[in-house]
Amino acid sequence: MPEAVNLAEKLALFTEHWSPKIVTTYNDNDIMVVKFDGEFPMHNHPETDDFFLVLDGHITIETEDGNVDLRPGELYVVPRGVMHRPIAHGEAKVLLIEPQGAPNSGDPATAATKVRI
Amino acid sequence: MPEAVNLAEKLALFTEHWSPKIVTTYNDNDIMVVKFDGEFPMHNHPETDDFFLVLDGHITIETEDGNVDLRPGELYVVPRGVMHRPIAHGEAKVLLIEPQGAPNSGDPATAATKVRI
């Protein structure tokens, strides 16, 4: 039977920050929820765009092309190859989309392990 | 300069139903907002999964594998090739993701033209 993914229920299952959790897949992409708090390191993804939709809270994505402020119901797609760093002003809850296997830090050596919940 | 996509602002720009509007792209996919009302024809997409995230309202996606009910903050990805039909119970606002050029009805002959807003 098909089952809805309730994003708030998924977000209630964990407390860690910067640790994306896979909730479903779309073609070859992971659909993930993540909790941000504070600053993530500057990085890029040479092979893929990077999708951010804020569900709760307030983030700024600093990029080499300028900064973008996102609040709930706002999204931004960082183009592939563009250096960027998300910063959360307090805890923020975000829907992320990245290709399956893409390191969230841009570098497999420092990437979080993405677990399905 | 990077610019946030505010989904409520984009949805306020049009009134038609079943006419997806492109708000940005992610790799080779269109990120779209759409207003549903009533029933859409049963169809499938042999080449792609079909992503639905409800932003406002209440929909049911009838599929050949069973039905799934979605309310705000809930998403479902219809697997490629699975027959399905979204039904909105009153007007609903939905975030859709499909590959660029994919016909929303599964058939280019009956598909809505997707315009960027």
Side-chain angles (χ1 to χ4, degrees):
Chain A
M1 281 287 291
E3 201 171 333
V5 175
N6 182 297
L7 296 173
E9 286 177 9
K10 294 295 189 185
L11 283 157
L13 296 177
F14 65 96
T15 56
E16 319 94 275
H17 297 124
W18 307 112
S19 182
K21 310 296 185 194
I22 300 166
V23 297
T24 190
T25 58
Y26 160 77
N27 292 335
D28 298 327
N29 299 278
D30 288 325
I31 310 295
M32 297 169 282
V33 290
V34 62
K35 294 180 176 178
F36 289 172
D37 196 9
E39 298 189 7
F40 198 72
M42 187 68 80
H43 68 286
N44 72 5
H45 305 274
E47 309 296 343
T48 182
D49 298 342
D50 205 6
F51 175 104
F52 298 80
L53 167 63
V54 173
L55 301 170
D56 190 48
H58 172 205
I59 74 171
T60 302
I61 303 177
E62 293 185 356
T63 89
E64 61 182 287
D65 297 327
N67 298 345
V68 61
D69 235 43
L70 298 178
R71 295 172 189 272
E74 294 184 329
L75 67 85
Y76 183 66
V77 178
V78 179
R80 66 184 67 199
V82 171
M83 293 296 294
H84 64 281
R85 166 168 66 177
I87 299 173
H89 310 289
E91 185 176 81
K93 298 167 185 167
V94 179
L95 184 76
L96 285 183
I97 306 176
E98 291 176 347
Q100 289 176 331
N104 69 326
S105 62
D107 178 353
T110 57
T113 302
K114 295 173 182 172
V115 175
R116 180 144 183 170
I117 61 173
Chain B
M1 281 287 289
E3 200 171 333
V5 174
N6 181 299
L7 295 174
E9 287 176 8
K10 294 296 188 184
L11 282 157
L13 296 177
F14 65 97
T15 57
E16 318 94 275
H17 298 124
W18 306 112
S19 181
K21 309 296 186 194
I22 300 166
V23 298
T24 189
T25 58
Y26 160 76
N27 293 334
D28 298 326
N29 298 279
D30 289 325
I31 309 294
M32 296 169 282
V33 290
V34 62
K35 294 180 176 178
F36 288 173
D37 196 10
E39 297 189 5
F40 198 72
M42 188 67 80
H43 67 286
N44 72 4
H45 304 274
E47 308 298 342
T48 181
D49 298 342
D50 204 6
F51 175 104
F52 298 80
L53 167 62
V54 172
L55 302 170
D56 189 48
H58 172 205
I59 73 171
T60 301
I61 303 177
E62 293 186 353
T63 90
E64 61 181 288
D65 297 329
N67 299 343
V68 60
D69 235 44
L70 298 178
R71 294 170 188 274
E74 294 184 327
L75 67 85
Y76 183 66
V77 178
V78 179
R80 69 184 65 197
V82 171
M83 293 296 294
H84 64 280
R85 164 169 67 179
I87 298 173
H89 310 289
E91 186 176 80
K93 298 167 185 167
V94 178
L95 184 76
L96 286 182
I97 307 177
E98 291 176 348
Q100 290 176 332
N104 70 326
S105 62
D107 177 355
T110 56
T113 302
K114 295 173 181 172
V115 176
R116 181 145 182 169
I117 59 175

